[in-house]
Amino acid sequence: MKIRLLFLLTLLSCTIAYAQPGSKFGVVKPEDFKVQSSLIDSSTNAIVLYDIGSCSFEGNSNGWFSIKYTRHTRIKILNKNGYDAATIKELLYIADNAREEKMDDIKASTFNLVNNTVVETKLNRADLITTKYRKNYNRKVFTMPDLKEGSIIEFTYTIHSEYIAFLRSWKFESEYPCLYNEYTVAIPDIFNYLLDLRENVPLKRTHEDYFNSFLISDDEGTASSSRQTFTVRATISETKWVATNIQPVRDQPFLRTIDNCISKVDFQLKEIRIPGQPVESKFNSWPKVYTLLKKREDFGGQIYANNHWLNEPLNTLTGNTTDTLAIIRKLYEFVRDNFISTKDYGIYMSDDNSLKDVFNNRKGSAAELNMLLIAMLKKLKINAEPVVLSTTDNGLAHPVYPIITEFNYLIAYVNAGNKDYFLDASDPYMGFNKLPLKCYNGYARILTPLTIPHLFNSDMLLEKENISVMVNSDEKGLTASFDEKLGYYHSLNFREDFSKVKTKNIEDHIKKEFAFETTISDLNVDSMNAYDKCIRMNYDVSFNFKDDIVYFNPLLNKGIKENPFKADTRKYPIEKPYTSSLNYYLTFMIPKGYKADELPKSVKLLLNEDEGKFEYLISANEDMVQLQCKLNFDKAVYAPEDYQSIRDFYGIVIKKMSEEIVFKKLK
């Protein structure tokens, strides 16, 4: 850092002065409690009056730059359901054995109107809590005091960071409506950042270039006589984005995470340009990221180590097996079946933990269990590598830029016999070469010297379910015999719920799915412990015909009962976890003394010509009714402009699936 200081000819000091749309901190008047806005409706629990942030650069006493981030926010709490808006959380980064980001200049108050007098309650400093969030991150949390329905809360704070690579991002939308949102970033021409702006709400952008001056020194670790201080000037590029009257955003059905859709701005440090020096590239290539990760003790230091302690366990596990794929399966099943996952996110080893500890303790995070599997395979000279990805709830990682902080999950990649396998040994019910649905979220990176991108796309997955029902009758009543083959992920959920319960519990669960009184018998569940396979179930359902007129839904318990798309409009994509195919077949032998008097009409329906299909084909004669019902979604992800057609498609499907056959007793 101090070598850089000697070459700096200009330097920036930039303190952002923003014009608040209301008043200075703590100036709250009785009329401020009368908030009127078209954004407020019966579902509004709180409204953000303004949210203003800024980032600027400042010199520090360590011979380099720091980033100064400020935030000033005022929120009106409308009811108790809005109290969550009064808990403020900030993550503070700290590199290994380095300085932590510092949060200071904290002011926070709650204002209540009592007898037309504004009463202020200030945050007690003792209520500011710091906790360990995850590796390299602490979290500051505080909750506003004296909350009541109708309170106005206001807070401001500053964060100082020496990590110039992490210029803070900003969101212009949240779960609460907002009257005014502003973010200002002022960057000296020494630093060049790539800007990733997502604009889903209108943003007013202003830009200004100007000069400013600043002091930088190397105070720390030097005697006062040798201290160096510079006063220099730099060109500042200042950009401000403003949004007003912003609607709230809320999670919706079939949406991976709302964070993928909201308006926000992110930054990636590309270059450092010190006058008189070669440009220092910070836009890391993936091969460079691989090299750095391989050197980290909590990553490559574990995976690529010699790990002599594995020799004896591996000899025991593999025995005389020589087939490579069989060995891979054995090791995968060993880790999956004998280790407990303690945490389902992260790409690094936990603090003060090693793979040997994980092996001996028979537990570890998902990353640690998969690292152990990779290390075991490597020990046997099998081509295995770590893969990093971002899960669906974490948001999309950039498909090209190597922003490692965007990745939060690690799985194993294995190549054997010129075929690729992707494994996650942390899920106790996951089949070989299967992955949790959360992994199908865009581009992952196989960490080899070439860092190969691999696309995990939900359109790759087909969830196929086949159901066959035969209904017969005798003197005791009617019996519907079900033969049901679940889709793979339905099977996975079924195993998680019922693999350790008694058959009676499963029967009770099935019984609750029917709209009429029934009994379940002769239940047989096949492949419950064969995790690579789909579950197949057979069971009988008993019921009666007693009335002169009987209304009977031929879909029994398998129809879709509710349209997941209730909103009139939608501006976000529809993201199903997989493509799907439901095939339902019913043969109903009409009980003696009855006839099928009325049948639903048959129908065939296409979704956008070739993106989905619904068939409902029904026929009857004197002896039987036959139904063939098929519902296919041939895409997993649909564009927002497809919303109305999908909503209408569901509406027709649900209406048809609710229609009944009318049986009448013969006279």
Side-chain angles (χ1 to χ4, degrees), residues 176-193:
Y176 304 107
C178 178
L179 300 182
Y180 184 89
N181 188 300
E182 172 188 304
Y183 194 46
T184 306
V185 176
I187 304 173
D189 55 3
I190 294 169
F191 303 102
N192 183 10
Y193 287 84

Side-chain angles (χ1 to χ4, degrees), residues 83 100 109 113 148 171 199 223 281 297-298 446 467 472 484 506 533 592 608-609 617 621 628 662:
Y83 283 4
E100 180 188 19
S109 295
L113 192 61
K148 295 180 174 63
K171 296 178 180 179
E199 188 173 356
S281 176
E297 181 58 31
D298 57 358
I446 304 171
I467 304 166
N472 286 298
E484 187 171 348
I506 303 176
K533 297 180 179 180
K592 289 183 178 180
N608 296 341
E609 294 186 359
L617 306 178
N621 57 32
Q628 177 179 304
V662 179

